[in-house]
Amino acid sequence: EGLSTLHFFTPISSEYPFQSGTFVVKRSSSRHCLELWRREIENIVGGTLGMDQAALRTIHEQIKAGFETKCRLIRMDNEDFLSFLKPKNFNKISQLSSYSTLIHLSNSKFAKWMDEEQQNTFLHAVLQLSEEEIQSGKYGKSIIKLT
């Protein structure tokens, strides 16, 4: 068994070394890293928001210290491949006529601070839904309920 790899994008916070919400696996070689990550998540008692990233940070530290040698975590630049929708950039991104390849939609506090109807309109545009699909209510609806 050779080196196991996982590819991650640059995080939106300096608290974590990787953005764990969107990542790339290679079926033939990512299993070891994924198993390490799962074990670390399971070891976190009383898990909270971000425990997947905390577990990933632990693996990253083990690799840097030389304790883990069969897993490599690779950080990719976001460039035009990935957009993170946050309240401060949502209006700008939602007005674009073309979108990033990957759009990270969060059901966290960020999404709750963005207008639900604007989110739905954006999703309809990104998914290129027909009027019939929109009216059916089955597709492209924000899962965040503002309460």
Side-chain angles (χ1 to χ4, degrees):
E1 189 173 301
L3 185 65
S4 181
T5 60
L6 290 175
H7 294 73
F8 296 90
F9 288 101
T10 305
I12 56 176
S13 164
S14 60
E15 185 178 354
Y16 301 108
F18 304 99
Q19 166 55 35
S20 64
T22 307
F23 58 97
V24 179
V25 299
K26 186 174 180 183
R27 290 177 193 235
S28 62
S29 69
S30 295
R31 182 171 301 280
H32 176 72
C33 289
L34 289 169
E35 288 175 355
L36 284 174
W37 194 10
R38 185 198 67 219
R39 280 196 298 265
E40 285 301 323
I41 290 172
E42 289 173 349
N43 287 336
I44 296 175
V45 178
T48 61
L49 184 67
M51 67 184 198
D52 58 332
Q53 293 197 25
L56 195 59
R57 180 178 51 204
T58 299
I59 295 168
H60 179 65
E61 290 167 356
Q62 292 171 350
I63 292 169
K64 284 190 345 186
F67 298 123
E68 173 54 51
T69 59
K70 294 182 179 179
C71 176
R72 183 170 173 221
L73 305 177
I74 300 164
R75 191 160 108 177
M76 304 179 293
D77 290 332
N78 296 358
E79 295 179 359
D80 293 330
F81 303 115
L82 179 64
S83 295
F84 294 98
L85 297 183
K86 298 181 288 186
K88 68 180 181 183
N89 70 3
F90 178 70
N91 286 336
K92 178 182 173 189
I93 291 173
S94 67
Q95 299 303 314
L96 297 173
S97 59
S98 64
Y99 308 104
S100 301
T101 304
L102 300 169
I103 299 171
H104 187 276
L105 298 170
S106 174
N107 62 354
S108 70
K109 61 185 176 191
F110 293 135
K112 292 177 184 174
W113 295 335
M114 295 183 287
D115 181 74
E116 185 177 349
E117 191 54 42
Q118 278 186 292
Q119 289 184 58
N120 290 338
T121 301
F122 173 71
L123 289 172
H124 299 162
V126 170
L127 297 173
Q128 300 176 358
L129 297 178
S130 69
E131 191 59 35
E132 183 179 328
E133 290 169 321
I134 293 169
Q135 294 304 319
S136 77
K138 294 180 183 178
Y139 312 103
K141 296 218 30 124
S142 168
I143 60 167
I144 300 302
K145 296 293 180 203
L146 302 175
T147 57

